Amino acid sequence: MKENVFIIHRSEIIRRGLALILQEYFKMEITQLNSAKDLSSFAGISNSTTILILEAGVEQNTKAIEQLQKNNDVFLVGFFSETINESAGVQYDYHLTQYSSAIQIQKLIQVIRQAGSKQKNHLLENGELTSREKDVIKLIALGLANKEIADKLFISIHTVISHRKNITEKLGIKSISGLTVYAIMNNLLDIQDINPEELI
């Protein structure tokens, strides 16, 4: 099942910022819109997981949202300016504010992935990552350095570097935070095991 993400906000800075964060972690089509009324031109979308990140507290085009909900799994994320006060007429599955932390963004990404769970990660399905590469990702996400990973897995530092290179090529993810999110999304690691300070 295909995933579509729409970021609907009057502020271009917020739209672009959220899009950049989401694109860092996984490849998906992200459409930035100034207003929910612009959703009308996407009413023909069907059989997809659709994530709407909406500016909360402003009038939303509920007809366009309802139209998408008829033929798709729609997940609503409310973006609140400061404090969270439910907007009339719209029930959100998840909340974000301008003060949301990296962990809250990661939880959103995890929730988005769960919302689109019908579409499995093709790399893991096809067995393209070896069990050793999965072990390495897990230890990277836990904040271990190359030498510590080598010691823990009883392999050389050169082998760890080689595994990291292969992982980057296969997944297209270079950052530690990106690999951490990947590990969480694919159940290689529990979010409770992560020290948020290691991701900064």
Side-chain angles (χ1 to χ4, degrees):
M1 188 176 275
K2 188 179 178 184
E3 293 173 351
N4 295 295
V5 178
F6 294 90
I7 299 174
I8 303 163
H9 202 287
R10 289 173 293 177
S11 168
E12 186 176 356
I13 291 172
I14 289 172
R15 289 197 309 266
R16 286 190 179 200
L18 285 170
L20 284 171
I21 289 167
L22 293 176
Q23 286 169 336
E24 181 180 343
Y25 296 114
F26 39 72
K27 293 173 184 171
M28 59 168 53
E29 188 176 328
I30 298 177
T31 305
Q32 298 177 43
L33 302 174
N34 187 48
S35 165
K37 68 182 179 187
D38 300 330
L39 273 175
S40 303
S41 58
F42 296 93
I45 291 175
S46 61
N47 298 320
S48 72
T49 298
T50 302
I51 297 98
L52 300 179
I53 302 177
L54 302 166
E55 179 180 7
V58 299
E59 186 82 21
Q60 297 295 353
N61 186 337
T62 52
K63 283 187 179 179
I65 294 170
E66 287 168 7
Q67 186 65 36
L68 282 172
Q69 287 173 325
K70 282 182 186 176
N71 303 313
N72 304 281
D73 294 329
V74 176
F75 187 81
L76 296 176
V77 179
F79 189 92
F80 293 80
S81 297
E82 292 187 27
T83 56
I84 294 176
N85 296 311
E86 281 290 348
S87 299
V90 181
Q91 291 283 30
Y92 297 104
D93 298 300
Y94 196 85
H95 301 109
L96 281 179
T97 74
Q98 60 190 8
Y99 302 110
S100 293
S101 67
I103 291 295
Q104 288 168 311
I105 296 288
Q106 288 176 0
K107 283 183 182 174
L108 168 61
I109 292 165
Q110 185 171 16
V111 170
I112 288 173
R113 274 298 186 215
Q114 288 169 349
S117 61
K118 293 174 187 174
Q119 183 183 32
K120 300 291 185 185
N121 185 290
H122 75 280
L123 289 168
L124 288 182
E125 269 189 353
N126 297 334
E128 291 186 29
L129 284 183
T130 66
S131 60
R132 181 58 87 192
E133 287 167 347
K134 293 176 192 176
D135 291 338
V136 171
I137 287 178
K138 200 185 311 181
L139 296 174
I140 290 169
L142 290 172
L144 275 66
N146 286 345
K147 182 171 185 342
E148 294 171 308
I149 294 171
D151 292 344
K152 195 141 185 116
L153 298 178
F154 304 103
I155 57 179
S156 70
I157 293 177
H158 176 74
T159 303
V160 173
I161 292 167
S162 182
H163 281 314
R164 289 185 78 145
K165 184 179 175 219
N166 291 338
I167 290 165
T168 298
E169 286 175 1
K170 287 179 181 181
L171 302 181
I173 301 172
K174 296 179 181 177
S175 69
I176 291 173
S177 58
L179 290 172
T180 301
V181 171
Y182 179 88
I184 294 167
M185 297 306 112
N186 291 282
N187 300 315
L188 302 178
L189 190 66
D190 192 298
I191 197 165
Q192 305 301 326
D193 298 331
I194 299 167
N195 178 1
E197 292 179 6
E198 296 288 345
L199 301 177
I200 298 170

